[in-house]
Amino acid sequence: MSLIVRNLSVDHGAIRAINNLSFIVEKRRLTAVIGANGAGKSTLLRTLSGLIPASEGKASWGEHNLLKGKAEQHVRNGVSHVSEGKSVIPELTVEENLDLGALWRRNKKEADVTKKYVLELFPRLGERLKQRGDTLSGGERQMLAIARALMSKPQLLLLDEPSLGLAPLVIEQIFQTIRDIANSSDLTVLLVEQNAMGALKIADIGVVLNLGNIVAIGPSADLIADPAIRAAYLGY
Amino acid sequence: MEKLISASLIGLSQGAIFALMALALVLVFRSTRVVNFAQAGQAMVSTYIGWEVVTRTENYWIALPAAALAGALLAAIIETFLMRPLAKRASHGAIAPVASIIASLGVLGVLHSGAAMIWTSEQKLFLSPVSVNGIEIGSTVYPFSQADILIISTVIIVMSTFAFFFQRTSLGLSLRAAAFQPEISRLAGVKVDRVRTIGWALSGAAGAIVGVLVTPGNYLSPFSLDILLVYGFVAAVIGGLESPQGAALGGLILGMSLSFTSIYVSSGLTFIVPFVVLLLILIVKPKGIFGGGSSRNA
Ligand SMILES: Nc1ncnc2c1ncn2[C@@H]1O[C@H](COP(=O)(O)OP(=O)(O)OP(=O)(O)O)[C@@H](O)[C@H]1O
Ligand SMILES: [Mg+2]
């Protein structure tokens, strides 16, 4: 199974946010998509998870056409999306936020197993199950958002700027956790980041987006070593 | 002392009615952001269904669930075939928040004239299953009847059932999540459109129960429940417009204020009291008692 994006274009009214994009993400790879503000990173993820329609092109995950059907159907097909800005419901408790991700699953026993796994991954959440989402720190909220996505037992995980607004130490922790999740499961991860260096360091593959176009793609180590990329995106 | 007891009991009974009406309005508003003026009409039509059942079977206890079911169905139809397409088309610009209000007023008009055509405007008598006369204790007759006890206990049962459903069941969790954050809920796999229809259906059932509770002892006409819309909205706004607990508390506050002013001051004040109470509460808590959670996105 792999994520195949072919000639994908997405428009917001008159603005073309994604322009004729093509790339493939192999199964179990962690791919980082980096680029400046407005590069089209969130638009790409929102299209893949069924939140917004594409204008042209194709996108599929295994046999599933990602440009067809609603977001709630995509989850059932193994695609989980953690949207930009701590995608947690503040009015619900931590446990309710978690459970929400597995409500659609028929097999409650399996869902319980997933919950146990997720709580082992994020023990801090386990200590705060009855607290409301909005009482969590920024880092904890981001963990909860990822944990909620994992509760759907995804095969393809779409993460939109998990480092947004977090302290450097917490960012490092989150990135490490993402790498660990990718290593220890069957998960394929598409990680969108403005923190280009952090993301490339943990990723297998890097994709550099600029104004809706791919300007570079390749093994992340190569991108880190590329002087042009370093100057433009890594800041040194 | 007698006055105090009477005022409290009447306040409780009226408050229960306002609370349930407020809950009906809150359920729709929190899940779809629609200020639903049609609620009074939906409750009225459902009550006519209940009246049809009760005149045929002479059994109130069949009429009550039948009306609730009719109310749920009617609300689901309105949401699916009118409000949802409307929300998708008129989602941007100045008309977005107003379109649904105008549509709900339109539905109210249609229900009024539809009911008048089917059942005529002539008032119908709705038989009460229990006595509607004041309860006598010793030599005093309290302005409080078995029907009031029925109202209070039914509302308590209905509201606790709702509370249990929302807090303790999976579907309840979906409903709350979809109301708070539809996008995140979608991403988590909640079928938001379906859940919204269920929210409307529950609201329709609650409104129908209001109609079948208040009408016995009174007359039923196509306009007889309209006044409850005003009280229901005031109670809902007092409670913050988004919170079921707020609706309950708002209804109680309004019911008590009305009964106390009409017993202790003058019954001529009943039209002013709701707005004075609303104003006082909004001055102290501008977002209502349970209002003002977090920001939302659609
Ligand atoms: N809902 C929208 N309506 C109109 N334009 C939009 C909308 N969402 C995004 N855009 C535009 O599309 C382009 C790409 O936006 P997008 O959010 O995908 O960028 P991004 O790479 O995620 O940026 P950031 O790093 O700041 O999150 C931008 O020019 C943006 O202004
Ligand atoms: Mg973005």
Side-chain angles (χ1 to χ4, degrees):
Chain A
M1 232 186 227
S2 48
L3 169 68
I4 302 175
V5 176
R6 240 182 235 313
N7 306 108
L8 183 71
S9 295
V10 184
D11 299 291
H12 292 294
I15 300 166
R16 173 141 291 199
I18 293 287
N19 184 31
N20 200 24
L21 221 61
S22 298
F23 64 91
I24 293 178
V25 174
E26 298 291 347
K27 191 181 168 182
R28 303 199 56 174
R29 291 284 166 72
L30 199 174
T31 301
V33 178
I34 61 170
N37 287 111
K41 306 181 297 294
S42 296
T43 302
L44 173 64
L45 291 199
R46 294 172 69 79
T47 310
L48 296 180
S49 66
L51 286 176
I52 54 175
S55 307
E56 278 166 60
K58 289 187 174 135
S60 58
W61 168 248
E63 76 266 27
H64 302 296
N65 178 356
L66 295 181
L67 303 186
K68 235 180 73 191
K70 294 179 182 169
E72 47 261 48
Q73 196 52 50
H74 284 49
V75 191
R76 289 166 172 77
N77 292 337
V79 181
S80 269
H81 179 186
V82 179
S83 54
E84 193 173 309
K86 309 185 187 73
S87 112
V88 154
I89 303 187
E91 293 90 345
L92 301 183
T93 65
V94 170
E95 188 161 28
E96 286 170 338
N97 269 286
L98 284 178
D99 290 342
L100 192 64
L103 284 185
W104 60 270
R105 293 174 66 180
R106 293 248 173 267
N107 191 330
K108 295 299 161 204
K109 279 220 183 74
E110 274 179 32
D112 283 342
V113 173
T114 310
K115 193 166 167 182
K116 245 175 119 184
Y117 158 72
V118 164
L119 288 177
E120 271 164 30
L121 210 59
F122 301 105
R124 292 172 75 111
L125 298 180
E127 294 155 18
R128 293 167 172 74
L129 286 177
K130 301 289 168 213
Q131 271 174 240
R132 264 170 63 123
D134 53 7
T135 63
L136 298 183
S137 74
E140 288 161 356
R141 272 200 226 190
Q142 195 54 255
M143 289 175 198
L144 178 55
I146 296 172
R148 188 267 298 152
L150 293 176
M151 286 295 289
S152 306
K153 204 158 195 225
Q155 299 162 303
L156 175 63
L157 182 61
L158 309 172
L159 296 175
D160 198 343
E161 296 205 42
S163 76
L164 191 73
L166 300 184
L169 222 64
V170 184
I171 293 180
E172 210 166 296
Q173 226 179 332
I174 291 266
F175 278 152
Q176 193 50 52
T177 309
I178 293 169
R179 182 68 253 185
D180 291 346
I181 298 169
N183 286 346
S184 67
S185 61
D186 246 358
L187 212 55
T188 308
V189 182
L190 194 59
L191 167 67
V192 153
E193 263 299 337
Q194 281 216 42
N195 184 332
M197 195 59 197
L200 285 179
K201 269 190 188 156
I202 59 160
D204 304 310
I205 307 286
V207 177
V208 184
L209 269 193
N210 186 33
L211 297 176
N213 295 288
I214 291 182
V215 294
I217 182 165
S220 41
D222 294 0
L223 292 181
I224 294 174
D226 185 325
I229 302 282
R230 290 176 83 110
Y233 296 95
L234 305 179
Y236 65 97
Chain B
M1 190 60 197
E2 281 162 32
K3 259 178 147 183
L4 184 70
I5 294 172
S6 298
S8 311
L9 291 176
I10 294 173
L12 204 59
S13 166
Q14 287 189 340
I17 289 295
F18 301 156
L20 196 52
M21 192 64 179
L23 177 69
L25 296 165
V26 163
L27 284 178
V28 159
F29 182 77
R30 79 203 293 238
S31 66
T32 53
R33 307 279 120 180
V34 174
V35 176
N36 187 21
F37 287 105
Q39 191 70 249
Q42 295 166 235
M44 174 271 296
V45 169
S46 317
T47 308
Y48 271 107
I49 305 282
W51 174 80
E52 292 282 1
V53 174
V54 91
T55 46
R56 281 182 177 76
T57 63
E58 296 194 357
N59 190 336
Y60 184 85
W61 305 109
I62 300 176
L64 186 68
L69 200 68
L73 209 66
L74 180 59
I77 290 170
I78 294 171
E79 197 278 332
T80 310
F81 295 106
L82 180 66
M83 293 305 179
R84 193 192 306 169
L86 189 68
K88 293 215 163 114
R89 275 158 206 282
S91 63
H92 295 292
I95 54 148
V98 187
S100 65
I101 295 181
I102 296 171
S104 81
L105 282 169
V107 173
L108 181 61
V110 168
L111 294 174
H112 275 153
S113 46
M117 268 158 60
I118 300 172
W119 291 288
T120 76
S121 298
E122 174 192 315
Q123 295 184 327
K124 305 269 196 259
L125 184 62
F126 198 122
L127 285 177
S128 176
V130 292
S131 164
V132 294
N133 297 322
I135 290 172
E136 241 182 282
I137 299 172
S139 58
T140 38
V141 179
Y142 290 92
F144 183 82
S145 66
Q146 290 179 8
D148 291 305
I149 296 174
L150 173 68
I151 289 175
I152 295 168
S153 41
T154 309
V155 169
I156 289 174
I157 291 169
V158 170
M159 287 203 126
S160 340
T161 310
F162 271 87
F164 177 86
F165 167 76
F166 276 109
Q167 295 302 325
R168 299 265 175 261
T169 68
S170 300
L171 188 54
L173 177 56
S174 307
L175 270 140
R176 281 185 293 143
F180 293 135
Q181 297 280 349
E183 184 175 297
I184 295 175
S185 303
R186 278 212 165 88
L187 292 176
V190 175
K191 290 180 174 164
V192 172
D193 283 349
R194 202 178 70 183
V195 156
R196 282 180 173 157
T197 308
I198 294 170
W200 270 73
L202 290 173
S203 153
I209 293 171
V210 169
V212 177
L213 284 178
V214 287
T215 305
N218 292 306
Y219 287 96
L220 177 62
S221 85
F223 300 92
S224 62
L225 296 179
D226 288 1
I227 186 67
L228 283 179
L229 200 60
V230 178
Y231 292 131
F233 266 124
V234 170
V237 173
I238 289 174
L241 205 50
E242 291 196 62
S243 149
Q245 300 98 299
L249 191 64
L252 208 62
I253 290 174
L254 187 59
M256 288 294 178
S257 325
L258 275 171
S259 77
F260 272 82
T261 40
S262 71
I263 286 180
Y264 281 93
V265 190
S266 152
S267 59
L269 292 176
T270 43
F271 279 98
I272 306 169
V273 168
F275 302 102
V276 173
V277 173
L278 181 64
L279 219 64
L280 287 178
I281 285 177
L282 291 188
I283 287 168
V284 183
K285 292 215 69 173
K287 288 178 172 176
I289 294 176
F290 282 82
S294 67
S295 57
R296 280 115 210 268
N297 47 34

